[in-house]
Amino acid sequence: MFKRFDPSHDTSTSTQVKASIQRSLKSQILDRHKSITEDTLEVLLPKKSPLVQYKVGSHMMLYCKRSEHEDKSPTDEPVLFQHRDGPIMPTLKLLHRYPTLKFTQVTVDKGAIPFLLGGANVMCPGLTNPGGEMPADGSEQDEHGFDKPGLKKGDGVVIYAEGKEFAIAVGTMTMSSLEVRGKNKGIAIELMHYLGDGLYQTDEI
Amino acid sequence: MSETVAIPEDNDSNLLPRRSVVYCGACGMPPEYCPYGPDFETHCDPWLARHHPELRALLAERRGTVVTAPASVKPTTDVPTPARPAHPWTTADRLTAFYEQYVPDKVDSVPALLEKYAGKEDKLFLALTKKYGPEPSDPYYSDSADYDDDEESNDDDADDDDNRVPADGADVTSDSNQKNKKRRGAAAKKVSEGTVATRVVVQKISQRKRRHLTVIQGMETVPGIKLKDASKMFSKRFAGSSSVKETAVGTKEIIIQGDHQVDVAEMIVDKFGVAESCVFLDMDGDVVPLR
């Protein structure tokens, strides 16, 4: 999605995010990523300093933190993005900076790394091979008594790599983790943002 | 995982500790991902050895390789070993060998030089061969049949540099043979296309009364030029529309609005560095050289 992202061409209007919208952003993140607490999110996105929203293309929103400078116009540092009504996900630079900030995460095995760095989607075996990791299924049951999958289709995940410290990519699940384990074939995660893409290379807008 | 990779910074909160992350100065990735890039040996590793040696050792350990001194500092006194080495020279090896042959005192400055000329190694070697003489040949290639000294001496001219457009069509064909040899890594992906002799024909076509088009054929034979970019430059320069069209024969031509036959020809010579002898004007069916 951000492979050829170039802020000077691809971003159009920028607007300040309303406080109410910022609240709903936060509640969405809290809802989707269980291990993030309200307090940590409040530190990350304080109420006082509103976010700035950029339109990227037609369906992508990029949320940035604005920092003021004395001698030049303010610069915006990308922190979150959202495609259509999809999950709201953080940028990799943000993830690297806050190691304790745990979004829902998966781990891929070593063999997948070079492909991910080229922007390829994650295939099922990358998650199921030894070295790969996904949240366990069946920790909760739905109202009919069936196991709930650890990850649902459409969930946003942060992708880590086996033996590496830093997150390598961010993507959305194209099937549930139950299916990934069952089928073990085809695309498991559609990649949105990875190390080395245009968004990663953008420090500020 | 381990905290050694990143240095903890002043925390803005206990809830959300912040740290400053080390990114590779050469490729911009976190250093643990550097080896997957194309320029690890030539750019990333030297940078890491210079700025974060302890981190470099740690990462090498994790990769399971033995930590050695940076390749550039390693004394390689036994240069022309008769046995063929396992791999071709890295840029550092190549430079070290060069200095050992001509100015052994300066071998120590090799890492600094590499840093300074990162990405511009071609120019460095070009300057060196001009100053000292032909560079020593890599023993890895020494037993390949078509590799002789004569090629080695002007080998640097052949090294790829898209900005320097060979001026003459004939020049391109003779160089292309050597071009494929020295390339490794990322540079190896660039394939030379310069086997066709450069020949650009500028033609004027009249439409109605005083309406004209200028058609440029053969622009694709000029090495190192993208037709679209060229077309854009023309449209800027002549303030009219300019487009790239495919002809029936399969070649491509640039069509510019207006009568700019001579101006275009001169611009091709000045801006794109095409030799005057390769540019022709089409005067009502007669193809005449520009000058």
Side-chain angles (χ1 to χ4, degrees), chain A residues 151-163:
Chain A
L151 292 169
K152 292 191 298 293
K153 182 180 174 182
D155 276 359
V157 287
V158 173
I159 304 164
Y160 287 80
E162 178 192 0

Side-chain angles (χ1 to χ4, degrees), chain A residues 39-40 43-44 92-93 95-101 110 113-114 117 160-161 163-168 195-196 200, chain B residues 1-3 5-6 12-13 15-23 27-33 36-37 62-63:
Chain A
D39 301 335
T40 47
V43 178
L44 183 69
L92 285 167
K93 287 258 166 81
L95 287 170
H96 293 171
R97 197 158 342 115
Y98 299 104
T100 53
L101 192 68
K110 262 187 214 145
I113 297 174
L117 292 178
Y160 287 80
K164 306 284 180 201
E165 183 180 358
F166 293 107
I168 185 173
L195 281 185
Y200 176 78
Chain B
M1 289 173 217
S2 108
E3 284 77 35
V5 171
D12 39 13
S13 152
L15 284 167
L16 197 63
R18 187 192 159 98
R19 69 179 175 193
S20 69
V21 187
V22 173
Y23 290 113
C27 67
M29 296 279 195
E32 55 181 10
Y33 290 107
Y36 295 97
R62 273 196 213 158
R63 282 202 303 275

Side-chain angles (χ1 to χ4, degrees), chain B:
Chain B
M1 289 173 217
S2 108
E3 284 77 35
T4 31
V5 171
I7 311 123
E9 215 184 42
D10 52 324
N11 297 345
D12 39 13
S13 152
N14 291 331
L15 284 167
L16 197 63
R18 187 192 159 98
R19 69 179 175 193
S20 69
V21 187
V22 173
Y23 290 113
C24 171
C27 67
M29 296 279 195
E32 55 181 10
Y33 290 107
C34 275
Y36 295 97
D39 301 323
F40 177 64
E41 270 193 345
T42 51
H43 295 62
C44 302
D45 203 36
W47 182 86
L48 208 56
R50 197 181 169 88
H51 297 271
H52 300 279
E54 65 308 318
L55 178 57
R56 178 175 181 265
L58 181 82
L59 290 176
E61 197 179 312
R62 273 196 213 158
R63 282 202 303 275
T65 52
V66 188
V67 190
T68 54
S72 43
V73 193
K74 192 172 55 187
T76 47
T77 34
D78 49 337
V79 182
T81 39
R84 188 179 172 175
H87 55 84
W89 276 349
T90 59
T91 312
D93 294 337
R94 196 172 150 205
L95 195 58
T96 317
F98 197 101
Y99 271 106
E100 268 162 4
Q101 185 171 342
Y102 292 102
V103 264
D105 309 344
K106 282 196 183 171
V107 172
D108 291 340
S109 65
V110 163
L113 268 175
L114 278 177
E115 178 101 351
K116 191 178 167 192
Y117 283 92
K120 298 176 289 192
E121 284 87 355
D122 295 340
K123 281 185 188 150
L124 171 64
F125 281 106
L126 188 65
L128 283 175
T129 40
K130 258 192 195 148
K131 187 170 175 189
Y132 297 113
E135 65 168 299
S137 60
D138 187 343
Y140 179 77
Y141 292 111
S142 58
D143 51 355
S144 57
D146 52 346
Y147 196 81
D148 55 58
D149 282 346
D150 155 30
E151 273 184 11
E152 182 63 32
S153 58
N154 57 5
D155 141 87
D156 273 299
D157 303 287
D159 265 0
D160 61 310
D161 187 342
D162 288 344
N163 304 329
R164 278 185 290 127
V165 179
D168 201 303
D171 217 316
V172 180
T173 29
S174 66
D175 269 0
S176 65
N177 224 356
Q178 306 164 11
K179 265 193 170 181
N180 298 331
K181 204 153 295 156
K182 265 280 157 143
R183 301 225 182 115
R184 316 174 190 111
K189 283 172 202 157
K190 294 177 197 157
V191 187
S192 66
E193 75 280 89
T195 40
V196 189
T198 310
R199 180 187 158 91
V200 181
V201 181
V202 185
Q203 191 183 3
K204 186 176 95 178
I205 297 177
S206 307
Q207 289 187 309
R208 274 155 288 159
K209 278 183 193 170
R210 295 177 58 199
R211 302 276 204 117
H212 304 285
L213 291 179
T214 309
V215 179
I216 308 166
Q217 284 166 333
M219 234 7 218
E220 69 266 30
T221 58
V222 181
I225 286 183
K226 280 186 188 153
L227 282 187
K228 260 205 162 156
D229 296 346
S231 152
K232 195 154 195 189
M233 283 173 84
F234 286 130
S235 85
K236 266 189 193 156
R237 167 79 170 71
F238 300 114
S241 95
S242 167
S243 58
V244 182
K245 280 246 170 76
E246 204 158 321
T247 56
V249 204
T251 54
K252 289 193 172 163
E253 58 187 20
I254 298 178
I255 300 173
I256 309 167
Q257 235 172 44
D259 176 11
H260 309 292
Q261 195 174 18
V262 180
D263 295 343
V264 164
E266 273 165 9
M267 186 176 166
I268 291 173
V269 172
D270 297 341
K271 273 255 167 90
F272 301 118
V274 179
E276 284 179 1
S277 55
C278 299
V279 181
F280 300 90
L281 300 179
D282 187 336
M283 298 287 191
D284 302 321
D286 304 334
V287 180
V288 289
L290 180 58
R291 232 155 266 161

Side-chain angles (χ1 to χ4, degrees), chain A residues 128-177:
Chain A
T128 54
N129 279 357
E133 228 179 270
M134 271 188 301
D137 297 326
S139 53
E140 286 177 58
Q141 269 77 33
D142 62 9
E143 60 268 32
H144 304 295
F146 290 109
D147 286 352
K148 269 191 185 174
L151 292 169
K152 292 191 298 293
K153 182 180 174 182
D155 276 359
V157 287
V158 173
I159 304 164
Y160 287 80
E162 178 192 0
K164 306 284 180 201
E165 183 180 358
F166 293 107
I168 185 173
V170 172
T172 7
M173 301 293 294
T174 57
M175 45 174 102
S176 72
S177 54

